[in-house]
Amino acid sequence: GQETRGKQKIEIKIIKNEDDRLISFSKRRTGIYKKISKLSTICGGEILFIIFLLAGKPYSFGHPSVESVAKRFLNPNQPFNKTTDAPVEAYCKVRINLLVKDFNEVYDQLDVLKEKQKAIDLAQKSHGT
């Protein structure tokens, strides 16, 4: 014999307990997002998934992004590549701005260290004479 009952088929119906319903959704949400992402990759399409729970809280998933797919939905005549390139360009701009900010902070720290080194060198020269 078999020790466990294995994977059981559950009856599809609304879960009456609200807490249990939210727990079930949170456990299944990542699985749904993975399936949607695979579908987008396999079919080469843009996908937007929005769900409003009974409490009114919205959850969304979009590929390449929620914003680009929503814009394309609102303007279906927009060329496909304009919507898919936009999130990549936006990400690149944000990333470049962060890298420039980091570079400037490091450069400022270097200037401070150079000034400290000059002060140390000057102090050592004055004590040596």
Side-chain angles (χ1 to χ4, degrees), residues 20-121:
D20 291 345
R21 193 179 320 137
L22 290 172
I23 290 167
S24 180
F25 175 73
S26 67
K27 287 180 177 180
R28 292 170 182 253
R29 183 178 57 213
T30 55
I32 291 168
Y33 291 170
K34 286 179 184 179
K35 290 286 186 187
I36 293 168
S37 181
K38 285 180 185 179
L39 180 64
S40 174
T41 302
I42 291 168
C43 299
E46 295 179 3
I47 293 181
L48 176 59
F49 172 78
I50 302 172
I51 184 169
F52 287 89
L53 297 185
L54 290 178
K57 186 171 181 182
Y59 291 87
S60 62
F61 176 86
H63 183 79
S65 73
V66 171
E67 293 81 12
S68 67
V69 181
K71 285 180 186 176
R72 183 147 164 80
F73 180 78
L74 295 172
N75 185 9
N77 297 328
Q78 184 176 9
F80 182 74
N81 61 357
K82 284 196 176 184
T83 57
T84 56
D85 290 344
V88 174
E89 290 174 11
Y91 171 79
C92 287
K93 286 180 184 177
V94 169
R95 186 72 180 131
I96 288 170
N97 288 339
L98 288 173
L99 290 171
V100 167
K101 181 182 171 200
D102 289 346
F103 172 79
N104 288 335
E105 288 175 5
V106 170
Y107 197 77
D108 291 343
Q109 290 173 2
L110 181 61
D111 283 343
V112 169
L113 290 174
K114 284 180 180 178
E115 291 297 322
K116 286 182 180 179
Q117 187 61 45
K118 283 182 186 178
I120 290 170
D121 291 345

Side-chain angles (χ1 to χ4, degrees), residues 11 13-22 24 54:
E11 182 183 349
K13 64 180 181 178
I14 191 161
I15 300 170
K16 291 188 178 20
N17 184 310
E18 190 174 331
D19 290 337
D20 291 345
R21 193 179 320 137
L22 290 172
S24 180
L54 290 178

Side-chain angles (χ1 to χ4, degrees), residues 1-17:
Q2 199 175 11
E3 293 180 18
T4 64
R5 294 173 57 190
K7 189 174 180 180
Q8 298 292 308
K9 183 170 180 151
I10 61 166
E11 182 183 349
I12 303 299
K13 64 180 181 178
I14 191 161
I15 300 170
K16 291 188 178 20
N17 184 310

